[in-house]
Amino acid sequence: MILKSLFLPPSSSCKLFFSNDPLKIVKAKGQYMYDENGRQYLDCINNVAHVGHCHPDVVKAAYEQNQLLNTNSRYLHDNLVDYADRLSKTLPEKLCIFYFLNSGSEANDLALRLARQYTKHEDVIVLDHAYHGHLTSLIDISPYKFRNLEGQKEWVHVAPVPDTYRGLYREDHEDSVTAYADEVKNIIEHAHRKGRKIAAFFVESLPSVGGQIIPPAGYFQKVAGHVHKAGGVFIADEIQVGFGRVGKHFWAFQLQGEDFIPDIVTMGKPIGNGHPLACVATTKEIAAAFAATGVEYFNTFGGNPVSCATGLAVLDVIEKEHLQAHATEVGNFLMKLLKDQQIKHPIIGDVRGCGLFIGVDLIKDQVERTPATAEAEDLIKRLKEKCILLSTDGPGRNVLKFKPPMCFNMEDAKFLVETIDKILTGKRIIKTFKNRGWFLNFLEDNAELH
């Protein structure tokens, strides 16, 4: 007998993409996903399948190592050493100690522990709308979550997002970098007056949930100066944006300039192309302070031979297929196409991004820049009907998020933007004609536009 419970809907706290008409995906390859009817969808959401869904080299590496050994990291194994060595070559020299884990949430939780042990302080500064993971410790430092739960803890301090489009200091400000950094300085001074001490400034190198934000160059340097002076450390969360996604650099924090180096870097999602793998990189000094507690750090599955083989294969593919250069080339092309649409469609207020991390900010009006939330939701729905999977984010849920697998190509970019153009053009024409009294006749003659 089949249990009735198997057919119950998922808990209301577990959300599906396109919940009103969810997809059943049974297969994926490269930048494409396939439903149970064999229908192909262009995946513009999935930054987890970093080098492409089911990449044969990654699948082969995991399969072959699984046939030999899969055990915890309390034994010596070449894969662990080789992988740490390969990762170290992508990072500044001082970030030379690696802790391997299973998820980005685990990585951020460990980063928080490292910072607190090293500094002997408790307080953390984060950006507004930030999300750093689903563990209790990380919900506490994620305004995106805690504002809807128990609220802000006394030891958490929230700085404004360095968003020069709709933030506190915009593109017309004479020095938005210093202005935003001074907000952090003011937070530190206020905390000190209350007798509190800063352990860390915790930030996504490119805030994603906050609306695909590109912090102005130099902001991290100035903030790090204030944080270090207060005895804290700078933690760069690269979980969504690392491993060459920005094209120009392997890590998104490098967009700030060669003179900037975080004290701790966290990695997840794309690191294993879907395999549960994550990492924290830090300095010898911070690692030594952590070890001085005498309490060992151990992760049963972190750094196991299969995970490390998978991670090595991902790095191999990034190099072999020149995916950084590809991200730059295709990303620039996609940005140009989107900016052309910005001129054509007033609803597109801003196009921002780097490599294959791009945001399109939809607005109701050019002056107030009011988020076009309902319009963004409708656009996502219509794109799905045209076999394109895209999502929205930002405080107003009005920012289109482009973060596809890195094999996303020029033809995909053209198809995507042409489809967006058709949908937006159709909506504008319908809106115009609706005011002229012959709306129904027009709909009958132009069904493809809606």
Side-chain angles (χ1 to χ4, degrees):
M1 184 174 71
I2 299 176
L3 295 176
K4 184 179 179 181
S5 63
L6 292 176
F7 298 96
L8 292 176
S11 165
S12 59
S13 63
C14 300
K15 300 295 184 182
L16 295 171
F17 284 126
F18 316 106
S19 55
N20 292 330
D21 184 21
L23 289 170
K24 181 180 179 181
I25 297 297
V26 299
K27 186 174 70 170
K29 183 177 182 181
Q31 63 272 47
Y32 305 108
M33 304 181 82
Y34 302 85
D35 67 15
E36 76 273 30
N37 298 313
R39 196 177 190 194
Q40 176 179 286
Y41 293 84
L42 175 61
D43 184 5
C44 300
I45 294 174
N46 211 321
N47 60 329
V48 179
H50 188 62
V51 299
H53 289 281
C54 304
H55 194 289
D57 291 4
V58 179
V59 172
K60 180 181 178 183
Y63 170 73
E64 290 182 348
Q65 181 55 52
N66 244 321
Q67 294 185 97
L68 294 173
L69 175 70
N70 189 17
T71 187
N72 66 50
S73 55
R74 292 194 184 220
Y75 300 97
L76 297 175
H77 198 278
D78 287 346
N79 284 4
L80 180 60
V81 178
D82 291 345
Y83 188 45
D85 181 61
R86 284 283 296 280
L87 275 179
S88 71
K89 289 178 169 58
T90 70
L91 287 159
E93 187 176 353
K94 81 169 195 173
L95 296 171
C96 58
I97 304 295
F98 299 89
Y99 298 87
F100 292 105
L101 317 94
N102 305 309
S103 71
S105 288
E106 280 193 341
N108 281 344
D109 178 74
L110 177 58
L112 193 57
R113 290 177 59 194
L114 289 168
R116 285 175 166 165
Q117 181 59 37
Y118 177 69
T119 64
K120 307 299 184 186
H121 301 164
E122 180 185 23
D123 290 26
V124 178
I125 302 172
V126 293
L127 295 183
D128 206 357
H129 314 301
Y131 173 65
H132 292 291
H134 60 76
L135 302 183
T136 299
S137 63
L138 304 175
I139 295 294
D140 285 344
I141 63 168
S142 298
Y144 173 73
K145 293 290 186 180
F146 72 58
R147 294 201 191 284
N148 297 315
L149 295 170
E150 297 177 358
Q152 186 172 337
K153 297 289 194 295
E154 186 181 11
W155 52 269
V156 177
H157 310 275
V158 180
V161 182
D163 177 359
T164 56
Y165 178 68
R166 63 168 62 255
L168 197 59
Y169 308 107
R170 300 186 174 184
E171 69 274 8
D172 58 352
H173 192 276
E174 60 182 6
D175 187 358
S176 61
V177 172
T178 300
Y180 276 118
D182 282 348
E183 291 289 330
V184 177
K185 180 183 177 183
N186 293 339
I187 285 172
I188 293 171
E189 291 173 350
H190 180 71
H192 285 175
R193 286 194 293 271
K194 295 174 66 177
R196 308 202 64 88
K197 295 182 178 180
I198 305 300
F201 178 76
F202 211 126
V203 63
E204 293 174 275
S205 297
L206 300 178
S208 179
V209 169
Q212 302 292 88
I213 306 301
I214 311 297
Y219 170 70
F220 282 6
Q221 288 91 327
K222 288 182 180 293
V223 168
H226 299 317
V227 172
H228 288 155
K229 186 177 179 180
V233 298
F234 192 108
I235 302 172
D237 177 342
E238 289 272 336
I239 290 166
Q240 293 221 40
V241 295
F243 292 88
R245 175 160 294 277
V246 299
K248 296 177 183 178
H249 303 283
F250 201 81
W251 304 105
F253 70 78
Q254 293 170 322
L255 292 169
Q256 291 284 314
E258 294 182 2
D259 60 332
F260 174 71
I261 301 175
D263 301 295
I264 301 173
V265 173
T266 60
M267 312 164 206
K269 293 190 189 301
I271 189 174
N273 211 56
H275 183 89
L277 175 63
C279 180
V280 175
T282 190
T283 66
K284 290 180 180 178
E285 294 78 13
I286 292 174
F290 190 60
T293 63
V295 178
E296 69 170 341
Y297 174 78
F298 175 64
N299 187 302
T300 302
F301 300 109
N304 72 69
V306 174
S307 293
C308 290
T310 303
L312 282 163
V314 170
L315 293 179
D316 286 340
V317 173
I318 292 171
E319 289 184 13
K320 183 175 71 174
E321 299 184 4
H322 308 290
L323 291 182
Q324 264 187 260
H326 180 79
T328 297
E329 183 180 12
V330 177
N332 288 344
F333 180 67
L334 177 56
M335 286 275 286
K336 180 184 182 303
L337 293 180
L338 289 168
K339 287 187 175 183
D340 288 343
Q341 295 303 310
Q342 183 180 8
I343 296 170
K344 185 175 180 181
H345 301 290
I347 193 173
I348 299 178
D350 189 38
V351 177
R352 52 184 177 259
C354 188
L356 287 174
F357 179 87
I358 296 171
V360 175
D361 199 314
L362 301 186
I363 57 173
K364 288 180 177 290
D365 60 272
Q366 295 285 337
V367 178
E368 297 297 327
R369 300 179 179 179
T370 309
T373 305
E375 293 84 349
E377 182 181 357
D378 184 66
L379 179 56
I380 293 300
K381 175 185 172 184
R382 291 173 183 272
L383 284 170
K384 181 240 186 183
E385 293 168 356
K386 302 296 183 183
C387 295
I388 295 172
L389 307 181
L390 193 64
S391 63
T392 61
D393 232 319
R397 304 294 300 182
N398 66 304
V399 180
L400 308 180
K401 294 178 65 172
F402 299 86
K403 48 184 181 65
M406 295 276 278
C407 48
F408 181 92
N409 61 38
M410 299 283 200
E411 290 303 312
D412 298 323
K414 281 193 256 185
F415 170 57
L416 168 64
V417 177
E418 285 172 0
T419 307
I420 290 174
D421 180 32
K422 287 178 182 177
I423 294 170
L424 293 181
T425 299
K427 290 172 73 68
R428 286 181 67 193
I429 293 174
I430 289 171
K431 183 177 180 181
T432 300
F433 289 165
K434 189 174 182 179
N435 296 328
R436 294 184 181 175
W438 44 291
F439 178 54
L440 293 178
N441 289 336
F442 175 78
L443 285 184
E444 291 175 2
D445 297 337
N446 297 274
E448 77 281 357
L449 293 177
H450 58 89

